[in-house]
């Protein structure tokens, strides 16, 4: 992720439950199976304790294996039980069968009982459920779609009439019926007949269902009805590649002309100025498209005379017989060169010959393959790259008014980087009362595997049930952070359900990395499949490299990088803002809904890893598990993760957040959009409020971490060392979380890279530009002054910005009622860089800050940086030469004295999919022998043999996209400059 590195989970949970399945559909709605009745009595109560008896009667389909759940309204605490296995977290009690009473036929009953202590009142438990179904004493409602019919065809833009019939059991009524396309809620009707006309439906295939709710909270889903919306017959149209073209006075630019369909005979297209200033001209005046060349765009050169007046503009029209005409507007603008630079960069990035995208259309981390920084190979990709792709296409829509590429990028994001249901198949077994079993993070890789300790208390997950109820699925909607695009490793974990298909799978393949503590650098990682069915690695796959357990289960697992998901939200907010200004917001409504949904699930990053209480956790055994929102710190943490069993007959699933928050991950613009922009607000009832509080907390976080010079220090953690250890003496706190100058990883230190400064402050500047919030301005005033004072621009492409930072001192303990200046917290700049991606982020920060504050010095510095970077243009984009001395670590064996090198535990023996051995003598290179086949490997080999450090000119996707967008934003924000 540029210099960013994702640190993955170090916990596996083995908790099991069964859910009641409802299948089949009848010609008329029949009551769905499911339901139970509870008889609860207290035969003995002695004031400080009591005996409770529970009789369970199954009123639904036969059950083989059951889990009973209920909640005490007071402080009752179960001490022992019989005819069931009892566990309690907070007020929530879970009881599972004990084998001999696992089978409950329809109408059958079983009894279980317990002793408990209490003080005060002893009210009856509430919220009884059996296998997740509320015990109302009657079956769930029945529902079926009566319209449309399966297989129906429509033509876009379609109106699809939806109708459903729903029936409730005796003693209950239907409260509402919802209509869904897959997991997307279309409409809700609370009165019979239940119906809705779904309008404006675009071309595609749809799986429609209805969901009925009864007055007791029971629900049932209809059988799906599959329909197809066919594209409307395409008219013969002409098109320009841009709606607007900006020209410098005395300059020119090209624009593409295209036809939509193959003509039967040659067609002459005329391009003429239809209105506007005569100083703007277009040549040639006519183009010919034939049946052979019709699908190749042709160019027209548009020029502005040196005498063109200020703000001159002209509209040009392309016309041809039997084709719908097209228009574009050309305008003279001093900022035209910056908008045109964006188009130049965009065309280079999207040119298939330049290698930014895979054959499937997935953005690579970099064009070059021989690269190891966060991903350990250039043709892997990250959720970061997908988020920058969305942002690039949003900017393209702003420049051209063409929003189809933005929608296409979101569709690809869903297809390839967000795990589908098939990729996360056992989430239905997840128990929010027991999210995961504790496994400590350890200081160095050679201390792994880490032991699971089920005696350490964990808290309750307050999001799971709300998200499941909102979206009708237990699955997570978030981007996994790492994808092996070409399946170079050979795991073959193909998005959409391919689990360890092997080296012959074409790719892409989900993979994971980083799972062994804060000292694990990229050079010390052992990549592993996200879906581990023990086909590769050792006898237990890769699991026993990381986790110590008495037995190992085949499983799937994913890790989310919250800053990338937040950036996807940020990009979509800008797309919505720009499309709305154009009157085109309806074109991207579906994509906007996806971003809002992603923001709903992104809240998992706001919670402690094991849902422990926030504040002063210094011992894993005594730091309690939290109930409600006591585990929520409201910041964007380093990751959240989720996983589960591959064996559905012994299903279990787990989820974890993270208690470590880095300043470089925070995104106040995304938090503001998700809490304050109606179209962006997530659907879950508590989500907008969570994001509103998160926005406030982020702004306080920046203020707390701002050094005396102006740079922003590392962050805070609720779990020192990743194992809830004691922090350094007198370590300051932020709402009880401990100050950490290098959160999460230490090789290299996570806050030494200036890129985290520029990335984070750009988001603050964008938020300030939209809101004029004085809190954001106060942080920016000081940061911009520091960054500007340490940035220099010369001539001929000579420039430098800060690169490596070192830190000393610490902030004051945060007092929100009386914040103190951090006179004892300092930053030093160790060296400087010309990194084009970071420079672009710095330029964008200066641009948005200047556009709102009126600071012309920041505007001028941003412009100078853009011009200096442009001097480093090449055929693929913009690039500077980098010396990569860190390749010296590529073949280092593990050294117990320094802790450096690739550690493999003694006794472990396994193989990578290509046959590379994994043994205690392995190195980074030895388990990646294919590295030596890279066309640039000879540079590294020469270095290893004693020669000079190799140099490369990289074209990272995120960096090239950011250079393009920095130019476009300057042209948009300062059209007169």
């Amino acid at each position: 992720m540029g210099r960013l590195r994702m640190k993955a989970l170090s916990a596996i949970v083995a908790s099991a439950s069964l859910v009641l399945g409802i299948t089949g559909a009848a010609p008329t709605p029949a009551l769905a199976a499911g339901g139970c009745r509870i008889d609860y009595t207290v035969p003995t109560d002695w004031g400080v304790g009591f005996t409770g008896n529970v009789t369970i009667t199954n009123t639904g389909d036969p059950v083989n294996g059951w889990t009973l759940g209920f909640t005490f309204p007071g402080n009752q605490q179960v001490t022992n039980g019989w005819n069931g296995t009892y566990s309690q977290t907070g007020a929530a009690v879970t009881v599972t069968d004990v084998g001999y009473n696992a089978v409950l036929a329809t109408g059958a009953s079983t009894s279980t009982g317990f002793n408990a202590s209490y003080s005060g009142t002893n009210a009856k438990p509430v919220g009884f459920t059996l296998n997740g179904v509320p015990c109302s004493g009657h079956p769930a409602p029945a529902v079926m779609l009566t319209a449309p019919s399966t297989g129906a065809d429509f033509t876009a833009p379609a109106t699809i009439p939806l109708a459903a019939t729903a029936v409730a059991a005796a003693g209950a009524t239907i409260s509402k019926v919802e209509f869904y396309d897959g997991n997307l809620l279309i409409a809700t009707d609370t009165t019979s007949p239940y119906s809705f006309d779904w309008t404006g439906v675009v071309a595609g295939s749809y799986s429609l269902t209805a969901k009925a709710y009864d007055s007791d909270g029971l629900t049932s889903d209809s059988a799906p009805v599959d329909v197809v919306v066919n594209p409307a017959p395409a008219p013969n149209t002409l098109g320009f590649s841009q709606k607007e073209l900006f020209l410098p006075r005395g300059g020119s630019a090209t624009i593409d002309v295209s036809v939509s369909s193959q003509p039967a005979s040659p067609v002459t297209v005329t391009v003429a100025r239809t209105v506007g200033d005569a100083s703007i001209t277009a040549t040639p005046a006519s183009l010919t498209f034939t049946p052979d060349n019709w699908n190749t765009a042709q160019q027209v050169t548009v020029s502005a005379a040196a005498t063109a007046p200020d703000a001159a503009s002209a509209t040009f029209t392309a016309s041809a017989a039997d084709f719908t005409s097209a228009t574009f507007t050309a305008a003279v603008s001093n900022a035209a060169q910056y908008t045109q630079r964006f188009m130049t960069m965009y065309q280079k990035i999207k040119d298939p010959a330049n290698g930014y995208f895979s054959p499937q259309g997935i953005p690579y981390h970099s064009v070059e393959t021989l690269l190891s920084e966060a991903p350990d190979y250039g043709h892997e990709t990250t959720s970061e790259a997908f988020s920058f792709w969305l942002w690039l296409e949003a900017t393209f829509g702003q420049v051209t008014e063409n929003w189809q590429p933005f929608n296409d990028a979101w569709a690809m994001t869903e297809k390839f980087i967000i795990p589908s249901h098939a990729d996360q198949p056992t989430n239905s077994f997840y128990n929010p009362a027991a999210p995961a079993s504790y496994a400590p993070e350890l200081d160095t890789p050679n201390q792994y595997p880490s032991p699971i300790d089920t005696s350490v208390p964990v808290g309750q997950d307050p999001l799971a049930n709300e998200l499941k109820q909102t979206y009708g699925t237990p699955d997570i909607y978030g981007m996994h952070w790492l994808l092996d695009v070409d399946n170079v490793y050979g795991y073959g974990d193909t998005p959409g359900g391919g689990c360890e298909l092997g080296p012959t799978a074409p790719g892409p393949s989900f993979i994971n990395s980083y799972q062994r503590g804060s000292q694990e650098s990229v050079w010390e990682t052992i990549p592993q499949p996200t879906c581990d069915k023990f086909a590769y690695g050792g006898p237990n796959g890769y699991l026993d490299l990381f986790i110590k357990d008495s037995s190992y289960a085949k499983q799937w697992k994913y890790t989310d990088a919250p800053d990338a998901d937040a950036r996807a939200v940020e990009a979509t907010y800008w797309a919505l803002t720009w499309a709305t200004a154009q009157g085109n917001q309806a074109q991207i409504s579906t994509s906007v809904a996806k971003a809002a949904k992603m923001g709903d699930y992104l809240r998992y990053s706001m919670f402690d890893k094991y849902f422990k209480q926030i504040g002063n956790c210094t011992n894993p055994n005594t730091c309690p598990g939290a109930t409600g929102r006591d585990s929520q710190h409201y910041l964007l943490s380093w990751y959240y993760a989720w996983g589960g069993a591959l064996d559905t007959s012994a299903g279990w699933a787990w989820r974890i957040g993270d208690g470590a928050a880095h300043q470089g991950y925070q995104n106040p613009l995304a938090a503001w959009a998700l809490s304050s922009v109606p179209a962006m607000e997530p659907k879950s009832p508590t989500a907008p409020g969570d994001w509103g509080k998160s926005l406030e907390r982020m702004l306080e976080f920046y203020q707390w971490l701002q050094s005396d010079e102006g740079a922003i220090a590392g962050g805070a953690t609720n779990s020192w060392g990743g194992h809830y250890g004691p922090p350094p003496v007198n370590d300051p706190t932020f709402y009880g979380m401990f100050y950490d100058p290098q959160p999460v990883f230490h090789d290299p230190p996570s806050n030494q890279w200036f890129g985290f400064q520029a990335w984070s402050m750009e988001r603050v500047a964008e938020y300030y530009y939209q809101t004029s919030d004085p809190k954001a301005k106060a942080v920016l005033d000081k940061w911009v002054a520091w960054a500007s004072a340490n940035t220099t621009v010369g001539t001929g492409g000579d420039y430098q910005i800060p690169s490596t930072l070192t830190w000393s001192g610490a902030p004051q303990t945060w007092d929100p009622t009386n914040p103190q200046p951090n006179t004892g917290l300092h930053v030093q700049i160790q060296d400087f860089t010309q990194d084009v991606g970071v420079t672009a982020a710095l330029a964008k920060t200066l641009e948005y800050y200047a556009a709102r504050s009126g600071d012309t010095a920041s505007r001028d510095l941003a412009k100078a940086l853009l011009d200096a970077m442009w001097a480093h243009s090449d055929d693929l984009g913009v690039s500077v030469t980098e010396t990569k001395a860190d390749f010296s670590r590529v073949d280092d064996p593990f050294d117990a004295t320094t802790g450096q090198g690739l550690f493999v535990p003694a006794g472990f023996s396994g193989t990578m999919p290509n046959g590379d051995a994994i043994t205690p003598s392995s190195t980074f290179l030895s388990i990646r022998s294919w590295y030596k086949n890279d066309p640039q490997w000879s540079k590294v080999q020469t270095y290893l043999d004693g020669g000079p450090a190799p140099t490369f000119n990289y074209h990272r996707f995120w960096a090239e996209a950011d250079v393009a967008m920095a130019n476009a934003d300057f042209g948009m924000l300062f059209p007169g400059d």
Side-chain angles (χ1 to χ4, degrees):
M1 297 187 174
R3 302 302 191 274
L4 164 62
R5 197 253 329 252
M6 181 68 213
K7 178 179 168 296
L9 59 143
S10 59
I12 299 174
V13 64
S15 60
S17 63
L18 294 175
V19 294
L20 201 59
I22 301 172
T23 59
T28 58
L31 290 177
C36 47
R37 186 178 71 249
I38 297 295
D39 296 306
Y40 177 80
T41 61
V42 179
T44 307
D45 188 325
W46 55 93
V48 294
F50 68 99
T51 297
N53 285 335
V54 183
T55 299
I56 308 166
T57 301
N58 178 26
T59 61
D61 281 347
V63 170
N64 185 0
W66 52 264
T67 298
L68 176 72
F70 59 84
T71 302
F72 283 124
N75 60 6
Q76 298 97 325
Q77 191 71 34
V78 173
T79 56
N80 66 293
W82 50 90
N83 293 338
T85 300
Y86 283 75
S87 62
Q88 182 172 351
T89 303
V93 177
T94 300
V95 191
T96 57
D97 67 79
V98 285
Y100 58 78
N101 59 356
V103 177
L104 290 177
T106 303
S109 301
T110 188
S111 294
T112 179
F114 61 89
N115 290 323
S117 61
Y118 77 99
S119 62
T121 58
N122 183 22
K124 176 182 176 179
V126 296
F128 284 97
T129 61
L130 182 68
N131 290 343
V133 178
C135 290
S136 59
H138 62 75
V143 61
M144 68 178 295
L145 273 174
T146 57
S149 58
T150 294
D153 281 352
F154 301 87
T155 300
T159 296
I160 302 178
L162 303 171
T165 301
V167 179
T173 58
I174 298 295
S175 60
K176 64 178 178 179
V177 171
E178 295 175 336
F179 296 98
Y180 285 86
D181 166 31
N183 294 327
L184 177 66
L185 177 64
I186 299 171
T188 301
D189 197 351
T190 58
T191 58
S192 180
Y194 305 103
S195 62
F196 179 76
D197 285 342
W198 188 21
T199 60
V201 185
V202 299
S205 298
Y206 299 89
S207 182
L208 307 176
T209 56
K211 184 172 187 175
Y213 294 74
D214 73 11
S215 51
D216 290 321
L218 298 184
T219 66
S220 184
D221 295 324
S222 73
V225 169
D226 295 328
V227 300
V228 173
V229 177
N230 298 306
N236 294 327
T237 60
L238 303 175
F240 288 109
S241 57
Q242 296 173 236
K243 294 287 187 182
E244 293 181 301
L245 190 66
F246 298 100
L247 303 167
R249 185 181 291 104
S252 62
T254 59
I255 190 167
D256 289 344
V257 184
S258 60
V259 298
S260 64
S261 54
Q262 185 177 33
S265 59
V267 171
T268 298
V269 177
T270 60
V271 179
R273 183 178 58 252
T274 50
V275 66
D277 198 285
S279 63
I280 302 176
T281 58
T283 57
S286 66
L287 306 166
T288 300
F289 290 87
T290 70
D292 295 327
N293 75 357
W294 72 274
N295 58 354
T296 300
Q298 299 186 43
Q299 287 188 337
V300 170
T301 299
V302 186
S303 303
T307 56
D310 290 342
S313 66
T315 298
F316 291 82
T317 301
S319 306
D322 300 323
F323 279 78
T324 302
S325 62
T327 63
F328 77 92
T329 298
V332 173
S333 168
N334 293 333
Q337 61 179 316
Y338 299 98
T339 305
Q340 285 305 123
R341 283 178 187 175
F342 168 80
M343 289 303 302
T344 299
M345 289 288 293
Y346 182 87
Q347 290 161 0
K348 289 181 178 181
I349 293 170
K350 298 300 288 288
D351 186 344
N354 286 341
Y356 283 95
F357 289 85
S358 76
Q360 301 97 331
I362 299 168
Y364 290 121
H365 175 66
S366 68
V367 172
E368 297 76 22
T369 50
L370 192 62
L371 174 64
S372 181
E373 43 192 20
D376 56 10
Y377 184 64
H379 274 197
E380 293 167 353
T381 198
T382 59
S383 55
E384 171 196 84
F386 272 85
S387 67
F388 271 99
W389 183 22
L390 292 169
W391 206 353
L392 178 73
E393 301 297 4
T395 307
F396 180 74
Q398 188 274 324
V399 171
T400 67
E401 296 193 30
N402 179 2
W403 293 100
Q404 189 58 49
F406 176 73
N407 290 331
D408 291 344
W410 256 113
M412 292 288 285
T413 299
E414 277 197 318
K415 181 176 182 179
F416 287 115
I417 201 74
I418 298 175
S420 69
H421 173 72
D423 300 317
Q424 42 179 329
T426 49
N427 275 317
S428 59
F429 295 97
Y430 176 63
N431 180 7
S437 295
Y438 172 77
E441 295 176 21
L442 306 174
D443 293 335
T444 56
N446 59 303
Q447 295 175 315
Y448 281 78
S450 175
I452 291 177
D453 188 347
T454 57
S455 69
V456 172
V458 300
Q460 298 178 21
D461 172 359
L463 294 184
N465 289 332
E466 180 184 51
L467 290 166
K468 183 177 179 181
Q469 183 174 1
T470 299
Y471 296 103
T473 175
D475 295 335
I476 297 291
Y477 190 81
M479 294 188 283
H480 176 65
W481 87 279
L482 188 60
L483 199 64
D484 182 2
V485 180
D486 298 335
N487 196 27
V488 173
Y489 277 105
Y491 295 120
D493 285 359
T494 303
C499 182
E500 291 199 338
L501 298 179
T504 60
S509 172
F510 286 125
I511 61 171
N512 220 329
S513 187
Y514 300 105
Q515 202 168 319
R516 299 191 294 179
S518 59
Q519 198 61 38
E520 184 183 31
S521 75
V522 66
W523 306 105
E524 296 158 339
T525 56
I526 302 176
Q528 72 259 204
T530 57
C531 182
D532 198 334
K533 62 180 184 181
F534 305 168
Y536 306 109
N540 300 307
Y542 293 79
L543 300 179
D544 47 355
L545 289 168
F546 312 110
I547 292 293
K548 184 183 298 182
D549 202 359
S550 58
S551 62
Y552 296 92
K554 298 174 182 179
Q555 58 191 264
W556 55 269
K557 53 190 183 295
Y558 300 100
T559 306
D560 184 285
D563 74 315
D565 286 36
R567 189 182 293 108
V569 172
E570 176 186 9
T572 303
Y573 165 75
W574 283 120
L576 175 64
T577 300
W578 294 328
T580 301
Q582 299 165 356
N584 294 328
Q585 63 270 30
Q587 296 181 24
I588 62 169
S589 58
T590 299
S591 296
V592 172
K594 293 174 183 178
K597 181 178 179 181
M598 182 174 286
D600 221 342
Y601 287 84
L602 182 55
R603 291 183 294 155
Y604 269 115
S605 68
M606 297 180 184
F607 288 84
D608 176 76
K609 181 172 183 175
Y610 293 105
F611 296 90
K612 286 178 173 287
Q613 72 173 19
I614 298 298
N616 303 309
C617 275
T618 58
N619 184 301
N621 295 298
T622 59
C623 182
T627 59
R629 299 306 180 101
D630 290 344
S631 61
Q632 191 170 9
H633 50 69
Y634 293 97
L635 298 168
L636 290 182
S637 58
W638 197 256
Y639 63 83
Y640 74 82
W642 72 107
L646 287 173
D647 183 357
T648 57
S649 65
W652 47 265
W654 55 265
R655 295 177 192 177
I656 56 175
D658 185 22
H662 193 290
Q663 66 85 12
Y665 267 35
Q666 307 314 302
N667 194 322
L669 183 78
W672 175 73
L674 292 167
S675 61
S676 303
V677 179
M680 297 288 295
E681 289 183 2
K683 292 179 181 179
S684 290
T686 65
D690 280 349
W691 282 110
K693 189 167 183 177
S694 177
L695 171 61
E696 296 174 4
R697 192 63 54 89
M698 288 179 191
L699 294 174
E700 289 182 299
F701 198 51
Y702 288 124
Q703 186 177 356
W704 177 61
L705 292 170
Q706 189 157 38
S707 66
D708 191 45
E709 294 77 16
I712 311 299
T717 181
N718 195 53
S719 176
W720 191 264
H723 47 75
Y724 303 98
V729 176
N730 298 322
D731 194 47
T733 59
F734 179 79
Y735 289 102
M737 298 172 69
F738 305 111
Y739 170 65
D740 190 343
Q742 49 184 10
V744 185
F745 67 84
H746 300 163
D747 184 10
S750 66
N751 204 37
Q752 76 167 17
W753 183 50
F754 177 75
F756 276 140
Q757 302 284 319
W759 273 359
S760 202
M761 287 299 101
E762 179 191 347
R763 301 162 193 153
V764 177
E766 290 177 18
Y767 166 72
Y768 166 58
Y769 175 77
Q770 290 299 92
T771 67
S772 299
D773 189 329
K775 294 180 181 178
K777 184 178 187 299
V779 171
L780 287 166
D781 285 345
K782 193 171 182 179
W783 189 91
V784 167
W786 167 76
S788 298
N790 290 283
T791 296
T792 58
V793 182
T795 59
D798 181 31
Y799 71 94
Q800 66 175 22
I801 64 172
S803 180
T804 306
L805 308 179
T806 58
W807 300 85
S808 59
Q812 302 284 336
T813 289
W814 178 250
D815 180 356
T817 64
N818 186 29
Q820 297 298 309
N822 288 324
T823 56
L825 175 61
H826 297 286
V827 64
Q828 298 81 40
I829 300 174
Q830 182 174 314
D831 53 37
F832 294 84
T833 184
Q834 289 189 319
D835 186 302
V836 296
V838 180
T839 304
L842 172 59
K844 290 166 75 177
T845 305
L846 297 170
E847 291 168 16
Y848 281 95
Y849 173 73
R852 178 54 62 200
S853 69
D855 179 38
T856 57
S858 294
R859 177 204 61 195
D860 294 345
L861 180 56
K863 184 177 182 180
L865 287 171
L866 296 179
D867 294 344
M869 279 195 295
W870 200 248
H872 298 275
S873 297
D874 59 26
D875 291 343
L876 300 183
V878 173
S879 180
V880 296
T881 302
E882 301 177 41
T883 301
K884 296 291 288 182
D886 55 350
F887 271 113
S888 63
R889 301 179 66 175
V890 75
D891 210 14
D892 287 346
F894 176 70
D895 185 327
T897 301
T898 64
Q900 299 283 307
L902 186 73
F903 174 75
V904 177
F908 185 93
S909 179
T911 57
M912 302 294 284
N914 70 341
D916 286 346
I918 310 172
T919 70
S921 61
S922 292
T923 67
F924 175 94
L925 180 61
S926 75
I927 64 171
R928 299 168 175 86
S929 60
W930 40 266
Y931 244 67
K932 293 185 176 181
N933 299 325
D934 192 277
Q936 297 198 70
W937 173 254
S938 60
K939 292 183 178 181
V940 179
Q941 190 61 58
T942 298
Y943 179 42
L944 297 177
D945 292 340
T951 59
F952 301 89
N953 276 73
Y954 290 118
H955 297 82
R956 300 173 180 88
F957 185 93
W958 76 266
E960 302 301 311
D962 225 16
V963 171
M965 293 186 291
N967 280 280
D969 287 355
F970 190 88
M972 175 187 67
L973 294 170
F974 305 105
D977 294 325

